[in-house]
Amino acid sequence: MENDETWMSDEFGTSHEGRVGVLLADGTVPKPVYFDSASGTVGRGISHWSVYDGSTHPTRPKADALRPECSCGWSGAAYPVERDPAGEQPFREGGWAAAERCEEDWDRHIGTVRDTTIALPPELEVLLRSVGDAIERLSWDSPAAAIKAARSLELIAQRTAYGAAHDARDQEPAEVAAALGLTPDHAQALLARFGGWDFYG
């Protein structure tokens, strides 16, 4: 059984980690459901939306609605869980539609976040996309050559970002984080990686 299901974009990582949140009928958020292990010694808490089906082994709250949530604090609209009046359809099947809508809303949230980040010059956007596509095509014929090309990009990034990281370090951390679409800690960790200093966030 999954502990939880989360979504992340390559660009923003855990700064914007999405998941399906659960709301009970009174509007509250339930705690994880605790499951004992087979040996009865160590159990674990499960927060995947599908465990909130109102069953009694172990006792589980019944989800009334599902909503998208993000680690940045954003949450979207709540979608009622469709239930089979006859009780023949498993809860998990009835909740899939709402869970899928949650992921779609989180995708739109990520698009909104991306739109608020600092814009790159259009010609650079085109160039970066072109280089990425070229390396992917190269990997079909020569994986080793594609790795060499990717390594060259890595070296360019290290060389060109070093000074920029030190300059950005002198700016307001919240502004730098917003420009990158990251949390302040994640933004500072990125600057530290490019700038070559230790970061303990």
Side-chain angles (χ1 to χ4, degrees), residues 114-163:
R114 186 175 294 111
D115 290 342
T116 65
T117 61
I118 191 166
L120 296 179
E123 62 273 16
L124 183 57
E125 287 269 20
V126 172
L127 180 60
L128 290 173
R129 191 177 303 112
S130 176
V131 170
D133 291 344
I135 293 176
E136 285 190 11
R137 290 193 300 271
L138 182 61
S139 69
W140 302 338
D141 298 322
S142 178
I147 293 297
K148 182 177 181 180
R151 176 58 177 159
S152 296
L153 283 182
E154 190 174 56
L155 294 173
I156 291 171
Q158 291 174 351
R159 184 177 68 253
T160 58
Y162 180 85

Side-chain angles (χ1 to χ4, degrees), residues 49 66 79-80 82 92-102 104:
W49 64 267
L66 305 180
Y79 298 106
E82 297 179 4
R92 189 179 181 104
E93 292 184 17
W96 271 122
E100 288 176 350
R101 293 180 72 181
C102 287
E104 291 169 359

Side-chain angles (χ1 to χ4, degrees), residues 15-144:
S15 287
H16 292 279
E17 185 174 15
R19 65 181 296 273
V20 177
V22 174
L23 293 176
L24 304 182
D26 62 1
T28 60
V29 176
K31 296 179 179 179
V33 176
Y34 184 81
F35 289 84
D36 288 324
S37 67
S39 63
T41 53
V42 179
R44 59 177 179 151
I46 305 295
S47 54
H48 191 275
W49 64 267
S50 64
V51 303
Y52 299 96
D53 58 4
S55 63
T56 57
H57 299 290
T59 300
R60 315 178 197 179
K62 181 184 290 188
D64 183 69
L66 305 180
R67 69 175 180 183
E69 298 175 349
C70 185
S71 59
C72 71
W74 170 88
S75 61
Y79 298 106
V81 175
E82 297 179 4
R83 297 189 182 278
D84 179 6
E88 297 177 357
Q89 184 185 50
F91 168 75
R92 189 179 181 104
E93 292 184 17
W96 271 122
E100 288 176 350
R101 293 180 72 181
C102 287
E103 185 171 6
E104 291 169 359
D105 285 359
W106 177 82
D107 283 338
R108 284 189 284 272
H109 164 65
I110 291 300
T112 299
V113 171
R114 186 175 294 111
D115 290 342
T116 65
T117 61
I118 191 166
L120 296 179
E123 62 273 16
L124 183 57
E125 287 269 20
V126 172
L127 180 60
L128 290 173
R129 191 177 303 112
S130 176
V131 170
D133 291 344
I135 293 176
E136 285 190 11
R137 290 193 300 271
L138 182 61
S139 69
W140 302 338
D141 298 322
S142 178

Side-chain angles (χ1 to χ4, degrees), residues 157-170 194-195 197:
Q158 291 174 351
R159 184 177 68 253
T160 58
Y162 180 85
H166 282 265
D167 291 342
R169 190 181 192 183
D170 296 331
F194 280 129
W197 66 83

